[in-house]
Amino acid sequence: MRIEIDRDVCIGSAQCALTAPGIFTQDDDGFSELLPGREDGGGDPLLREAVRTCPVKAISISEG
């Protein structure tokens, strides 16, 4: 699985980091980023929920 964050779309609402703090965090500018080593989600059951909570759909996941 691969997680991508479109930084051109992200508005820094932090919904992903609030929903799945084991995968997402915010950078110094307040935009979402993946925690080191969590680029594949690490099997976190909250990943898909975090993707759904993004108000601007800046996060996508692809299988494979």
Side-chain angles (χ1 to χ4, degrees), residues 3-64:
I3 305 167
E4 293 190 35
I5 302 170
D6 186 337
R7 295 183 55 86
D8 292 329
V9 175
C10 180
I11 60 171
S13 72
Q15 293 305 303
C16 58
L18 292 170
T19 303
I23 301 173
F24 299 96
T25 188
Q26 288 183 287
D27 65 15
D28 292 338
D29 294 321
F31 295 104
S32 296
E33 67 180 9
L34 295 168
L35 290 169
R38 301 300 289 206
E39 292 81 8
D40 65 354
D44 192 314
L46 296 174
L47 172 59
R48 293 188 191 284
E49 184 62 25
V51 172
R52 283 192 286 274
T53 64
C54 180
V56 293
K57 308 297 183 216
I59 306 167
S60 62
I61 52 176
S62 58
E63 305 292 332

